[in-house]
Amino acid sequence: MDTRSSSPEAATPSRRRFLKAGGLLSAAALAPGLTTGLAQAATVRPRATAGDIVMADAIDLSGWIRRRQVSCHEVMTAFLDHIDRINPKVNAIVSLQERDGLLKQADERDRQLRAGQYLGWMHGLPQAPKDLAATAGIVTTSGSPIFRNYVPKQDAIIVERVRRAGAILVGKTNTPEFGLGSHTYNTVFGTTGNAYDPSRCAGGSSGGAAVALATRMLPVADGSDMMGSLRNPGAYNNVFGFRPSQGRVPFGPSSEVFYQQLGYEGPMARTVTDLALLLSVQAGFDARMPLSIDQDPRSFATRLKRDFKGARIGWLGDFNGYLPMEAGVMDLCREALKGFEVIGCQVEEARPDYAMEQLWQTWLTLRHFLIAGLASGLYADPAKRALMKPEAIWEIENGLRISGADVYQASVQRSKWYEALRKLFQRYDYLVLPTAQVFPFDSVIHWPTEIAGRSMDTYHRWMEVVVGGTLSGLPVINVPAGFNAAGLPMGLQVMGPAQADLAVLQLAHAYEQATRWVQKRLPALIA
């Protein structure tokens, strides 16, 4: 495996000249009134190559489009050519749309720019929503053969918002069936390979999104997270994945708007700045979703730089030995904590006053309850049930046996967990723990059945480390933590207090500047 230190700016001399001339987007995409001089000056700058385009950070690429240094047609062509080269090796993007139609949409974006119609910072950027998110006019399978030919008539809210901001949908990103499990494979499209070793698991359920990001087939990506599905694939592919505060990104439209509070959507990106910009599009109140947060999402499209001298971080680790960890995970994550110390943080051991085994039982009850509610109608049809994977059937059957009193008591326990964390946040500004308990494993294995000699009693027990973040409803981001001796990535979860999404992003940004893992280690497929 190629372990060379590499960065996008080192790719070619022409790219170095172009990046130096173009600079960061800064106000260019966010304050159109400031861009007139930039657009005029762009005429003397060198043109970007296709390699420049696909390797660029989203904030830079957006600025180049806004200043018309590159056309939307050129951007679309570069990405589609790159997808043609890379995607067959990893199988991250599915339901890829016809090239001619996509180029026509890109041409329309160029016409809009010439007419002074700028839709937003995603104007002309290619996007591929996760295959759980409804996309009007594009097949949405949810990774299930039951929905192999299902074409929604309405977009999911996050899809509505990126389209409105100017994005062009090139296809979808692969996901496990119904998003169940942290390993991206299904019988419709097959398995998605890890960006750093395609024979390994890509994580999930946003595995396709993370791999497409890491291999530069998308500038930014969306995902969803019930059991670490933004965090785990972020860790496994050396990118950032953010599970925002409960209600930050409206999850719908949906026939049920009050109880679906375990899984919701959020952004993924190769830089925290890009991630925050995508969140500024995804977030914000929607009257169809009454529990969505009514705060101005533009607050995320601001400078993230902040002083962290003296900030207090509580290291949760493996919860004092409760969680089994593959050899090397804890050592790598402890080493990665130095990235927080470099920026001035104080890190110390922390332990919540809560029985972690109780948290797992709480998780099982609430997850069974929700999945049974969502999919029991499919289960009731014998023909459709025959097409469902065993793990989905197991979840539904357990859910059908749960009583209302069981669900209420699980919610009480979830509330006690939130209170235990709230007390920790009276002492610490942030909490940190590993993102996964094992490194990316052989992709032919459905799920690890043992960790460090301890048997895993369910298909998802090996990802128990993410359950605390999910049940808390608090903002949690995966940040890259480096690589083991075999060149396989790992990550750290950074959790903040209730609705402190911006503060979590600011810490992640400072850590990113100190560590630069995304830039240091490119996937061998593109290095």
XYZ file of all heavy atoms in Angstrom, residues 7 37 53 87 245 292 337 354 401 505:
77
model
N -0.167 15.818 -0.709
C -1.228 16.806 -0.544
C -1.705 17.230 -1.901
O -0.979 17.167 -2.889
C -0.713 18.027 0.227
O 0.161 18.779 -0.593
N -14.514 42.325 -8.429
C -13.095 42.461 -8.734
C -12.426 41.123 -8.941
O -11.557 40.971 -9.805
N -9.600 20.262 -10.553
C -11.026 20.346 -10.213
C -11.421 19.265 -9.211
O -12.041 19.545 -8.188
C -11.878 20.271 -11.489
C -11.724 21.569 -12.294
C -13.354 20.013 -11.162
C -12.321 21.514 -13.686
N -14.763 4.672 -9.777
C -15.902 3.980 -9.170
C -15.923 2.470 -9.408
O -16.310 1.717 -8.501
C -17.221 4.602 -9.640
C -18.373 4.249 -8.723
O -18.296 4.403 -7.503
N -19.447 3.747 -9.302
N -26.816 18.035 16.216
C -27.793 17.954 17.288
C -29.125 17.439 16.762
O -29.514 17.718 15.620
C -28.020 19.336 17.918
O -26.877 19.764 18.617
N -37.781 20.292 14.494
C -36.548 20.829 13.920
C -36.177 22.144 14.602
O -37.036 22.904 15.052
C -36.681 21.008 12.408
O -37.795 21.813 12.063
N -4.787 11.978 20.546
C -5.178 13.009 21.503
C -4.155 14.135 21.580
O -4.483 15.254 21.990
C -5.362 12.390 22.892
C -6.542 11.426 23.070
C -6.508 10.804 24.463
C -7.866 12.132 22.832
N -22.882 6.016 34.904
C -23.963 5.283 34.249
C -23.492 3.858 33.957
O -22.318 3.644 33.605
C -24.359 5.969 32.930
C -25.679 5.497 32.370
C -26.869 6.117 32.729
C -25.732 4.424 31.482
C -28.083 5.682 32.222
C -26.944 3.981 30.973
C -28.118 4.613 31.350
O -29.319 4.182 30.859
N -42.410 -7.667 19.592
C -42.614 -8.254 20.918
C -42.514 -7.231 22.050
O -42.753 -7.551 23.215
C -41.588 -9.372 21.153
C -41.843 -10.626 20.326
C -40.982 -11.782 20.804
N -39.602 -11.640 20.375
C -39.109 -12.205 19.258
N -39.894 -12.909 18.465
N -37.840 -12.046 18.945
N -17.690 22.027 15.775
C -17.026 22.243 14.493
C -15.760 23.076 14.665
O -14.754 22.839 13.990
C -17.991 22.933 13.523
C -19.208 22.117 13.088
C -20.127 22.962 12.209
C -18.794 20.853 12.346
